[in-house]
Amino acid sequence: MRSAIDQVDAELAALLERRAALAAEVQRIKPVGGHRGRDAAREAAIVEAMLPLAPSFSREHLARIMNAVIEAGLDASGV
């Protein structure tokens, strides 16, 4: 089971890297980038779209996860 979890973690890492790269591109074209340019409505829509794909997670859990992903991605992009 641990090796299966390790494989999922590796897949998550690759997806997080891909997401961060895409978000960095968006940051370059936004009029207000970085943490100041966050869009609460967009972030809520992301969580809503994820709910049926991750039914074992509540809205609150997914919101916390995505908040961490978004903040870490912004920090990594240096914006």
Side-chain angles (χ1 to χ4, degrees), residues 1 4 8 13 20 31-32 38 51 60 64 73 77-78:
M1 293 309 295
V8 170
V32 176
R38 288 181 69 172
L51 281 170
E60 179 186 333
R64 286 187 359 228
S77 73

Side-chain angles (χ1 to χ4, degrees), residues 16-26 28:
L16 288 169
E17 184 65 25
R18 183 173 160 207
R19 188 188 194 289
L22 292 168
E25 288 297 317
V26 170
R28 286 191 246 296

Side-chain angles (χ1 to χ4, degrees), residues 2-3 7 10 14 20 30-31 33 35 37 42-43 47 50 54 57 61 67 72 74-77:
R2 286 186 177 167
S3 66
Q7 179 59 44
K30 283 177 81 170
H35 292 277
R42 169 78 177 131
E43 292 178 23
V47 170
M50 293 176 85
F57 289 91
H61 290 136
N67 182 62
L74 288 170
D75 291 345
S77 73

